[in-house]
Every structure is written in C-alpha cells, then in structure tokens.
Amino acid sequence: MIAEQVLTAAFPEFEVLTTQRPDGGLLLVLCNDGREVIKRAVSKGQTQTAIQLEWVISSIRRDLALEAGMSPAIARLQSQSRTGLPTYEYA
C-alpha cells in the first residue's frame, strides 16, 4: 500500500511497523532500539489522500518533538496555516 511507503519514508530514523485494521485503516507503530516510541491508529480516510497523510505525519512529528522537550516552529504546524478565519458582514 502506498500509505505504508509514505509513512516509512517520512520516519527513516525509526523502524516503522504497520498493521491493517478491520475498518481499512492502519495501526502505525514507530520503534527505536526495539522500544515502541509512538503508536497511532490511522483511519482509512487518512490513508487515501496525500493531504490527510501529510497531516498525520505532521502531527506525529509534533508529538515526537514535544516528547523530546522541543517545541516545533509555529510555521511547521499545518493547522496554523491551513485557512484564514472566517469573516462576516452584517447588513
């Protein structure tokens, strides 16, 4: 599956294990020296579009940075640059 290849390429410093879930999604486990670092359920929808998969990768990178005691740069957090806030006009 292409999502598994993208996830493996996104985290070359980890052993990336994926298991198919009954709902069509994936169970993703990142290991380092035989120790589980992150375990994440990825929905079927998140595996089917590049933008959703990139959001999963971004959130995992954020969680890894926070666990290591580093705060990721605001510009790297996709949710901060996704869309502008709505504006309203009153008649």
Side-chain angles (χ1 to χ4, degrees):
M1 180 180 212
I2 195 152
E4 293 161 325
Q5 294 168 346
V6 171
L7 290 166
T8 300
F11 301 103
E13 66 275 21
F14 294 99
E15 178 184 1
V16 179
L17 306 172
T18 57
T19 306
Q20 289 288 334
R21 293 172 22 137
D23 64 359
L26 295 172
L27 178 62
L28 171 71
V29 180
L30 300 182
C31 297
N32 192 0
D33 296 327
R35 180 179 69 87
E36 286 184 6
V37 178
I38 293 250
K39 185 184 278 188
R40 186 72 56 90
V42 182
S43 73
K44 182 178 179 180
Q46 291 172 314
T47 66
Q48 293 182 330
T49 64
I51 189 80
Q52 288 291 321
L53 201 52
E54 193 56 43
W55 275 74
V56 169
I57 292 166
S58 177
S59 71
I60 293 171
R61 286 184 179 148
R62 179 201 62 220
D63 292 349
L64 288 168
L66 290 172
E67 185 176 305
M70 299 180 296
S71 179
I74 294 294
R76 304 259 349 233
L77 298 175
Q78 292 183 3
S79 63
Q80 298 296 320
S81 60
R82 184 175 175 189
T83 58
L85 294 173
T87 56
Y88 302 95
E89 291 185 28
Y90 299 96

